[in-house]
Structures are given as C-alpha cells and as structure tokens.
Amino acid sequence: YLAFFISTLPSSKQSFTVILKNKVFDMRFKIDTFFNNEMNEAKSLIESKAYNEAFLHLERAHIAGQASVKMHTITHLYMLWIGILKRDYKEIIGQVIRIPLGIIGSTVGVVPTGNTGGSNVPLFAKMKVPKDIEECFTVND
C-alpha cells in the first residue's frame, strides 16, 4: 500500500509546476481585474465626455496590459478614439504609429515597462510603475 501511495504523489518537479501555474494564474487574474476596472472607468468617462480623465484611466490600463497583445491594442485604440473625439492630431498620429508597434512589441515580449502609451511620452521610454499597478505583478505565497 505504501508503494502505491508514494507512486501517486507528484514528483517535486510536477509539484513545482502546479504551484507555478497557480501563481501565474493569480497574477494574471490581478492584471485582468485591474485592466477591466480601469477600462470600464475610462469608457464611463468617455460617455460623459470627460476625455482627459478617461485618458488617465487608459494610461493605467496600458501599463497593466502591455504584455498582452489584446489588452495593449485595446488601450491604444481607445486612446486613438479619444484623440479623434478631441480632434487632437498629435494624439491621432501618435496612436496610429503606436498601434502596430504595440502589437509587435507585445507579441515578441519587448515593451517599455511603465510607459503610459500616450503621445505625450516617448515611444520607448521606460517609466516608474505606480505602486498599485506594481501589486498586480506580484503573487502571494
């Protein structure tokens, strides 16, 4: 019986993989939740025509979602939409450039950490990640 019990236990490598997957899932859940909250707030503010305030939430969503092609692209598309609504040609041109570069960067895993994504910051500038967003990238033991 003891031999059967021992043979059914996962090896240390399997156990480590299960723990690692749970930690990655925890981090992914935090990022998804944070991103969705920021996007929902931005959408609500866009409907209220509070474009500058909405843009701040898009910048925060951008920081959290840069590693995901989908999230990264969505934030740039909304930033483009705000540029169009405000008739801000600098933002429009900046986002038209950033959308394909963001897709490529997220796909290959090369993004400037902390960059807020707007045309008011250099394309490849790394920036400090705010503490509340940084918490999304940590896992609990």
Side-chain angles (χ1 to χ4, degrees):
Y1 295 103
L2 184 58
F4 173 75
F5 177 73
I6 291 172
S7 70
T8 61
L9 291 174
S11 70
S12 60
K13 184 177 179 182
Q14 289 171 325
S15 180
F16 177 74
T17 303
V18 170
I19 291 168
L20 183 62
K21 284 181 182 175
N22 287 340
K23 289 184 180 286
V24 170
F25 176 78
D26 180 50
M27 186 175 66
R28 185 82 254 154
F29 179 76
K30 287 180 181 179
I31 293 168
D32 289 350
T33 301
F34 184 89
F35 178 84
N36 290 329
N37 290 342
E38 292 295 327
M39 289 303 299
N40 289 335
E41 189 65 30
K43 290 174 191 177
S44 175
L45 289 163
I46 291 169
E47 287 177 17
S48 302
K49 298 184 187 329
Y51 303 131
N52 292 336
E53 292 84 357
F55 204 87
L56 295 173
H57 288 280
L58 292 175
E59 289 177 325
R60 292 170 53 74
H62 179 270
I63 294 168
Q66 277 184 303
S68 161
V69 175
K70 180 180 175 182
M71 290 180 191
H72 197 180
T73 305
I74 287 170
T75 57
H76 282 296
L77 289 171
Y78 272 90
M79 288 177 174
L80 173 62
W81 181 239
I82 287 178
I84 291 167
L85 292 171
K86 291 176 60 176
R87 294 190 170 105
D88 181 343
Y89 298 108
K90 179 184 175 193
E91 195 63 48
I92 294 168
I93 292 166
Q95 293 307 323
V96 167
I97 293 167
R98 282 167 170 77
I99 291 168
L101 290 177
I103 292 169
I104 294 166
S106 291
T107 301
V108 300
V110 179
V111 292
T113 306
N115 188 293
T116 55
S119 295
N120 59 332
V121 297
L123 274 167
F124 302 108
K126 290 185 178 183
M127 302 168 78
K128 184 163 174 38
V129 177
K131 285 206 182 276
D132 63 327
I133 300 174
E134 197 173 90
E135 289 175 14
C136 294
F137 300 106
T138 60
V139 289
N140 300 327
D141 289 328

